[in-house]
Amino acid sequence: GDCLVPYTFEMEDGTKLGKWVSSQRKAYFKGTMSEERTQRLEELNFVWDPLAAEWGENLGRLVRYKEEYGDCLVRNTFEMEDGTKLGNWVSRQRKAYSKGTLSEECTQRLEELGFVWAALSLRHGIKNMVG
């Protein structure tokens, strides 16, 4: 299991666990959470930033893709065996980069992997050289 509880998740007894998890994250980022509670949640591998966690998981998938296929030129329609639409994620990274909304850290991590920002241009160039 994990601590990635959807906001709308409710326990069988009606406890709104998703809302509670969200309030813990807010308190943590505001700096109003006690050290004891922070430590207890971290011992459970609590995920403070689910979007960053998801981004890291997708980066790991891209690493596996590169190991298998030799590049980061993931087609938009490509899905991993687990159903993750890696092609969509890669496309969103390119769009965020072109808009200037991708963080420097994310940009750097992708570039270290050999990520190609203008993959469509590169694909057409390879096709023209071959064909």
Side-chain angles (χ1 to χ4, degrees):
D2 60 46
C3 294
L4 292 170
V5 181
Y7 182 75
T8 57
F9 183 82
E10 287 188 29
M11 304 290 290
E12 287 182 18
D13 68 359
T15 301
K16 297 178 191 245
L17 185 61
K19 288 184 180 181
W20 181 85
V21 166
S22 178
S23 70
Q24 301 313 296
R25 289 184 179 126
K26 286 177 186 173
Y28 175 80
F29 286 114
K30 284 182 181 179
T32 58
M33 180 178 285
S34 72
E35 285 185 39
E36 179 186 351
R37 178 165 288 192
T38 300
Q39 183 178 356
R40 290 177 69 192
L41 288 171
E42 287 181 348
E43 288 170 0
L44 295 171
N45 294 320
F46 192 84
V47 177
W48 299 111
D49 187 342
L51 294 178
E54 180 183 11
W55 194 93
E57 288 175 11
N58 283 319
L59 181 65
R61 290 180 178 105
L62 183 59
V63 168
R64 290 193 300 279
Y65 178 93
K66 184 177 181 181
E67 289 170 354
E68 184 171 341
Y69 297 99
D71 60 44
C72 296
L73 298 172
V74 183
R75 296 212 175 269
N76 289 344
T77 57
F78 183 83
E79 286 188 29
M80 301 293 288
E81 288 182 14
D82 67 0
T84 300
K85 296 181 180 185
L86 186 64
N88 288 346
W89 181 80
V90 165
S91 179
R92 287 194 309 273
Q93 303 319 297
R94 289 191 179 110
K95 286 178 186 171
Y97 178 80
S98 69
K99 290 179 180 178
T101 58
L102 190 64
S103 74
E104 283 185 39
E105 179 187 353
C106 292
T107 300
Q108 181 178 354
R109 291 180 74 186
L110 288 167
E111 286 178 347
E112 287 170 355
L113 190 57
F115 195 82
V116 178
W117 298 109
L120 189 60
S121 300
L122 183 60
R123 267 200 209 103
H124 286 292
I126 291 170
K127 186 177 178 182
N128 291 337
M129 288 189 297
V130 174

